[in-house]
Amino acid sequence: QEAKPAGPPPIIKEMIVKAKAAIKTVPAAEVKAAIDKKEKAFYLDVRDPGEYSAGHLPGAINVSRGTLEMNIWGKIPDQSAKIYVYCKTAGRSTLATKTLNDLGYKNAVLMDAQFEDWIKAGYPVER
């Protein structure tokens, strides 16, 4: 029996690299600052509902990556809204941010950090 390769195949990594090159990214510290100053923005968690309920950024809304195109309109109707997008490792959120930009959400930006980094920094988590 062949051992399964660890992680996604190279094509997925290539897709993420390409998507990342096409979008705006911000560090976690910038997102934390936006939360602290109560910036008028959305914090979009694109993980699955179980991951979201286990802990998420303060005030974050959840639309899982798999249902993004169908469900984002009901959650964020304003396409000019500022949206900070994140997930567990920044893989799904990179692809989701690119998708949001393609859908006309031009102010969607990637929080370029893993959720674990957010926790390690001592930043707030809601459950």
Side-chain angles (χ1 to χ4, degrees), residues 69-81:
E69 293 85 347
M70 301 306 160
N71 294 338
I72 193 62
W73 314 100
K75 298 269 189 168
I76 308 176
D78 179 6
Q79 287 179 279
S80 64

Side-chain angles (χ1 to χ4, degrees), residues 3-127:
K4 282 188 179 164
I11 185 109
I12 302 299
K13 291 180 180 138
E14 287 167 31
M15 282 177 71
I16 291 170
V17 167
K18 268 192 190 138
K20 198 170 194 177
I23 62 176
K24 185 175 186 289
T25 66
V26 296
E30 194 171 314
V31 178
K32 168 73 165 63
I35 290 171
D36 289 346
K37 69 180 188 217
K38 297 183 174 23
E39 181 182 327
K40 193 179 178 314
F42 290 93
Y43 304 92
L44 179 63
D45 186 321
V46 296
R47 297 175 301 164
D48 293 335
E51 293 174 283
Y52 172 82
S53 62
H56 52 268
L57 271 57
I61 60 172
N62 181 224
V63 178
S64 73
R65 166 84 185 100
T67 64
L68 186 67
E69 293 85 347
M70 301 306 160
N71 294 338
I72 193 62
W73 314 100
K75 298 269 189 168
I76 308 176
D78 179 6
Q79 287 179 279
S80 64
K82 178 76 174 213
I83 308 169
Y84 294 100
V85 188
Y86 74 95
C87 68
K88 182 179 175 185
T89 65
R92 286 174 282 180
S93 52
T94 297
L95 297 171
T97 303
K98 174 74 170 74
T99 297
L100 287 167
N101 290 170
D102 292 347
L103 291 173
Y105 289 90
K106 296 304 179 200
N107 295 314
V109 299
L110 170 70
M111 180 176 89
D112 195 8
Q114 298 196 6
F115 188 63
E116 196 58 37
D117 297 333
W118 179 271
I119 294 166
K120 282 181 186 152
Y123 295 163
V125 173
E126 277 180 4
R127 287 186 172 81

